[in-house]
């Protein structure tokens, strides 16, 4: 049995590995000269290394699963380290809050730096855990597009507890009701950005994300995020998966309502199953006559990003691995991103410094700063002039919050925009997570993992069910592999 996989993002790699374990002969087609999709890296001649995409890992067990039940000589799972401090949050100059994983440390930080009751935070994390444990088995690890999912005995009890998932409130409304401190509200609102959504519109169900980071933990591979991709590629090779780099798929061939082959480089190659890890909108516009195209075009896209990869000629003790400098008016920032479709003049700034954990990621005495602001998914609309403006706004904010002069310290710079992200990954408009989750029905409207009108065609990755981000992309691979295996055994 042959399986063709379009794209080598983490969803495509995980699906290829699972199918190879099931005995399929798997071939991956990748448009770039390297694997990883949005999760890649930059290496400079001067000794800086940057992860280019996702910078935070949760639920590392989903990676570990891929390396289980293999012979002794098989590649090993990369070493993954749990962070003591999930994130350092800056709300104003000379004031930051560390969200420690350790409960006693977190309690002291809350009591010292906020007006919030620690019991409120503890209670919210308990609720987030309950929400995740209720929802995850059905909503994240099974297809929502099969009636069998809803009729399964293990999922029936959820139907009587749906109110606990808080669908009818927005994240911000729930957070404002539960917390007294505006800074703490911002921290919990921020989890909407983990799938490119707006906390003032997204359902409070997404507050379960706080459980993954704060109860289970925030993790980072010892050698950086791209080590995940390198390890999965090594494992895929070990299992016999074939990679075709610099290869663009021109068409998914459909005959008699079945996907039967892939066209590329003037060739047509037949496959028993085809799995797309490409952006669903790109597939509908370019690769097949898609029955859901109209619905896809109507969906609101998630945010994109403008990212500055800066080699910095100093080390800052006031920065941790993950750092956030919040906008003063968070609501107006999201209005700008989703309504006006413009970069906000006072953006929330995220700074990821992997060299804090792995000193080899920067020359001695230096640091590698991944500096990101949220941006609307508008493709190449953001020009050089606008980039110059946003760079100045970011530098001014960092200077103000850290009491420093950062610009003279930048000795390497590379920039990613919605346009470059779209060019490299085929994510339409540069959207990082496919459609946003800015409505109660978002989970049900995401592109399904298969299309009933086209047999043998499956979909994984951040633009389809269950959503964007590393854990959910891995969950999509699990759903698809189980679906293919079930049909194979029938």
């Amino acid at each position: 049995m042959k399986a063709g996989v379009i794209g080598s993002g983490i969803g495509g790699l995980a699906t290829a590995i699972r199918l190879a374990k099931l005995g399929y002969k798997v071939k991956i087609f990748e448009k770039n000269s390297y694997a990883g999709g949005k999760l890649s890296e930059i290496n400079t001649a001067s000794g800086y290394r940057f992860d280019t995409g996702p910078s935070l890992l949760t639920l590392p067990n989903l990676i570990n699963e891929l390396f289980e039940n293999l012979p002794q000589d098989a590649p090993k799972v990369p070493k993954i380290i749990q962070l003591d401090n999930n994130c350092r949050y800056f709300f104003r100059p000379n004031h930051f809050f560390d969200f420690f994983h350790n409960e006693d440390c977190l309690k002291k930080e809350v009591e010292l730096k906020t007006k919030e009751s620690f019991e409120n935070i503890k209670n919210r994390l308990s609720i987030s855990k309950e929400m995740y444990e209720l929802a995850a088995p059905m909503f994240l690890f099974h297809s929502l597009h099969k009636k069998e999912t809803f009729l399964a005995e293990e999922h029936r009890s959820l139907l009587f507890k749906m109110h606990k998932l808080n669908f009818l409130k927005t994240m911000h409304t729930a957070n404002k009701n539960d917390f007294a401190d505006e800074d703490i509200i911002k921290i919990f609102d921020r989890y909407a950005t983990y799938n490119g959504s707006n906390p003032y519109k997204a359902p409070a169900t997404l507050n379960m994300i706080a459980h993954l980071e704060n109860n289970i933990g925030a993790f980072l591979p010892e050698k950086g995020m791209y080590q995940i991709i390198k390890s999965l590629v090594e494992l895929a090779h070990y299992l016999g998966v074939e990679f075709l780099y610099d290869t663009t798929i021109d068409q998914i061939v459909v005959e008699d309502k079945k996907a039967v082959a892939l066209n590329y480089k003037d060739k047509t190659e037949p496959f028993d199953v085809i799995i797309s890890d490409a952006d669903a909108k790109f597939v509908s516009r370019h690769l097949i006559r898609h029955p859901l195209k109209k619905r896809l075009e109507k969906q609101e896209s998630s945010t994109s990003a403008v990212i500055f990869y800066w080699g910095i000629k100093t080390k800052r003790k006031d920065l941790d691995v993950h750092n956030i400098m919040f906008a003063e008016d968070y609501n107006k920032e999201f209005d700008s991103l989703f309504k006006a479709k413009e970069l906000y003049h006072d953006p929330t700034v995220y700074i990821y410094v992997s060299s804090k954990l792995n000193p080899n990621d920067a020359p001695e005495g230096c640091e590698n700063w991944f500096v990101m602001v949220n941006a609307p998914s508008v493709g190449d609309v953001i020009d050089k002039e606008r980039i110059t403006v946003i760079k100045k706004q970011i530098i001014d904010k960092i200077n103000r919050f850290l009491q420093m002069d950062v610009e003279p310290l930048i000795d390497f710079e590379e920039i990613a925009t919605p346009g470059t992200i779209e060019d490299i990954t085929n994510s339409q408009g540069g959207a990082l997570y496919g459609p946003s989750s800015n409505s109660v029905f978002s989970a049900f409207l995401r592109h399904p993992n298969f299309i009933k009108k086209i047999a043998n065609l499956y979909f994984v990755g951040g633009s389809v069910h269950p959503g964007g981000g590393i854990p959910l992309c891995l969950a999509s691979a699990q759903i698809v592999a189980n679906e293919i295996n079930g049909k194979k055994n029938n």
Side-chain angles (χ1 to χ4, degrees), residues 9-143:
I10 198 164
L13 287 171
T15 308
I17 288 167
R18 287 182 177 276
L19 293 182
K21 284 183 174 182
L22 293 172
Y24 280 81
K25 185 177 180 180
V26 184
K27 186 177 287 189
I28 295 180
F29 299 87
E30 170 55 53
K31 70 183 283 287
N32 296 311
S33 60
Y34 53 87
K38 297 184 183 76
L39 181 47
S40 183
E41 69 177 355
I42 297 168
N43 287 283
T44 76
S46 53
Y48 293 102
R49 193 202 69 84
F50 302 88
D51 294 310
T52 62
S55 55
L56 176 71
L57 177 62
T58 56
L59 295 181
N61 60 295
L62 297 179
I63 294 171
N64 297 342
E65 287 176 7
L66 300 172
F67 290 82
E68 292 174 352
N69 303 315
L70 292 169
Q72 286 279 31
D73 66 339
K76 301 297 185 281
V77 66
K79 185 176 181 181
I80 294 173
I81 297 170
Q82 183 170 350
L83 301 179
D84 295 328
N85 180 20
N86 298 335
C87 189
R88 176 165 290 176
Y89 296 98
F90 295 82
F91 302 99
R92 57 199 69 87
N94 300 315
H95 178 75
F96 65 81
F97 175 87
D98 287 329
F99 211 116
F100 294 110
H101 182 72
N102 178 275
E103 187 174 300
D104 290 335
C105 293
L106 178 60
K107 185 174 187 292
K108 289 177 184 176
E109 190 80 349
V110 171
E111 292 172 348
L112 180 66
K113 295 183 178 179
T114 79
K115 303 172 186 176
E116 195 60 64
S117 160
F118 180 67
E119 287 305 310
N120 285 347
I121 292 177
K122 192 174 177 180
N123 183 58
R124 163 53 71 81
L125 293 180
S126 177
I127 291 170
S128 295
K129 178 182 179 182
E130 182 183 20
M131 289 170 68
Y132 177 80
E133 291 178 346
L134 275 173
M138 184 167 87
F139 284 94
L140 302 187
F141 295 100
H142 286 85
S143 170

Side-chain angles (χ1 to χ4, degrees), residues 8 10 13 35-36 39 225-234:
S8 65
I10 198 164
L13 287 171
L39 181 47
M225 292 295 287
Y226 195 62
Q227 185 60 37
I228 298 171
I229 297 298
K230 289 179 177 178
S231 298
L232 293 182
V233 169
E234 184 183 7

Side-chain angles (χ1 to χ4, degrees), residues 220-364:
L220 189 65
E222 186 179 42
K223 295 182 180 179
M225 292 295 287
Y226 195 62
Q227 185 60 37
I228 298 171
I229 297 298
K230 289 179 177 178
S231 298
L232 293 182
V233 169
E234 184 183 7
L235 177 57
H237 278 301
Y238 174 84
L239 294 169
V241 175
E242 183 181 353
F243 287 77
L244 271 68
Y245 294 109
D246 299 307
T247 303
T248 299
I249 296 299
D250 299 314
Q251 183 186 12
I252 299 171
V253 180
V254 178
E255 296 177 356
D256 297 326
K257 298 183 179 180
K258 290 183 180 180
V260 296
L262 293 173
N263 283 348
Y264 65 97
K265 293 184 176 179
D266 297 323
K267 300 177 184 177
T268 299
E269 184 170 356
F271 290 96
D272 298 290
V273 293
I274 292 170
I275 300 93
S276 173
D277 187 29
D279 183 88
K281 278 188 179 178
F282 177 84
V283 173
S284 74
R285 291 175 181 179
H286 302 287
L287 300 187
I288 56 170
R289 177 177 281 183
H290 201 301
L292 300 178
K293 184 174 181 178
K294 287 184 179 179
R295 191 178 90 182
L296 285 171
E297 295 297 335
K298 290 179 181 178
Q299 288 179 337
E300 180 182 45
S301 294
S302 69
T303 51
S304 184
V306 173
I307 308 169
F308 295 87
Y309 306 97
W310 285 341
I312 300 292
K313 296 184 292 185
T314 190
K315 287 190 171 185
R316 296 291 302 196
K317 292 182 179 179
D318 45 6
L319 290 179
D320 210 315
V321 175
H322 300 291
N323 310 271
I324 290 286
M325 298 176 182
F326 277 107
E328 185 174 347
D329 192 325
Y330 214 27
N331 191 3
K332 285 186 178 178
E333 181 175 16
F334 286 99
D335 279 348
S336 181
L337 294 170
F338 285 100
K339 291 182 181 179
K341 298 291 184 183
E342 294 177 354
L343 290 159
Y344 189 51
H345 68 87
D346 174 33
T348 296
V349 178
Y350 167 60
I351 305 176
Y352 160 53
V353 191
S354 68
S355 59
K356 295 284 185 185
L357 189 68
N358 181 13
N360 293 328
D361 283 353
E364 188 173 351

Side-chain angles (χ1 to χ4, degrees), residues 386-400:
R386 190 69 187 93
I387 292 298
T388 300
V389 171
I390 194 67
K391 179 179 176 179
K392 184 179 185 306
Q393 291 168 340
I394 290 170
I395 286 175
D396 288 347
K397 185 161 199 165
I398 293 173
N399 289 347
R400 189 170 73 253

